[in-house]
Amino acid sequence: MVQETHIGAANLIFPLFIVDGKNKKTEVASMPGIYRYSVDNLLHEVEACAKLGLMSFDLFPNIDDSLKDKYATESHRDGSLYLRAISEVKKHFPEVCVVTDVAMDPYSSDGHDGLVENGEILNDETLEILGKMALAHAHAGADIIAPSDMMDGRVGYIRKVLDEHKFTHVSIMSYTAKYASAFYGPFRDALNSAPKHGDKKTYQMNPANQQEALIEARLDEHEGADFLMVKPALAYLDVIKLIKDNTDLPVAAYNVSGEYAMVKASAQRGWLDERRTTVEVLTSIRRAGATAILTYHAKEVLEKGWI
Ligand code: PBG
């Protein structure tokens, strides 16, 4: 009667990794219970999740090195693995919500989210590529475009491109406060997308900063974002709360791969009670103010009846 915070399937977005081929399902070594699926198996997974009431998915592609280049051209090529995955999911399950990731890193031979020239990230030149990517996702059927690249001005740029092509109904979930975090390690293993040189500190935020998140939030709101996301989540509950208190937009949080791996690794050793820890993590993210939680635990908590 007096419990203030509840989590339900409607609050959860399940990130799914995709790989080329047929009948593939390979576990990510640093993320027990999480797999890379070929498109046929992706459809089975989406169906199984939908039966549990889990209706929102964020897709990420593992791209063969031979398809990567400086300009991430594979990211908007007609017939690419990622675009096929989006349209197949929407064709078979029109009622599910497909969130798509906009950033160059899975397709870039430099492994960066933006275009690299002489070791520098070119912000404005990157926007053009992100715009093409977002448009290709919208054409394939994406419901929500989620730019995770952290270039300045990309929300406004993508909004304009989508509107000009009559995709006014496609929403933008902006990675508003995305920190240069060590917690992304297992995700980069899953996609084989680690930067080939340097780090992401010139575009992702300094983990020591809180006020800066408000600048990012105001910019994204002004540029037309429909959701503001904080990432990582568990280590940044203060930032979730700060943004929640300063916007009327829905706030999302990404309980990232390293946060998942910590719980799984301790549970495997019997050092933590997995059920209680997982529910406590998700509850704390909701309590801080996130209405949408991207989490690798999404299917498991519903399947096992933990929430
Ligand atoms: C990259 C991207 C990353 C994640 C989502 N999109 C990693 C990075 O910025 O290097 C991380 C997700 C996770 O760790 O679960 N555009």
Side-chain angles (χ1 to χ4, degrees), residues 131-142:
K132 286 185 189 165
M133 211 184 296
L135 189 56
H137 295 179
H139 271 295

Side-chain angles (χ1 to χ4, degrees), residues 9-10 12-16 33-34 37 41-58 89 93 95-96 295-303:
L12 305 178
I13 302 174
F14 193 24
L16 289 171
I34 295 297
Y37 297 98
N41 281 337
L42 173 73
L43 296 176
H44 294 138
E45 182 65 4
V46 167
E47 185 173 20
C49 290
K51 285 202 178 120
L52 298 165
L54 179 55
M55 300 300 279
S56 300
F57 304 91
D58 194 356
V89 172
F93 309 101
E95 70 285 9
V96 311
T295 177
Y296 301 96
H297 295 288
K299 184 185 181 195
E300 187 177 23
V301 293
L302 293 167
E303 209 169 26

Side-chain angles (χ1 to χ4, degrees), residues 103 105 113 148 178 184 187-188 200 204 231 256-257 296:
D105 55 323
D113 295 27
S148 68
K178 176 174 178 180
Y184 307 149
F187 173 96
R188 293 177 189 173
K200 299 193 176 184
Q204 299 183 346
K231 175 182 177 182
V256 299
S257 57
Y296 301 96

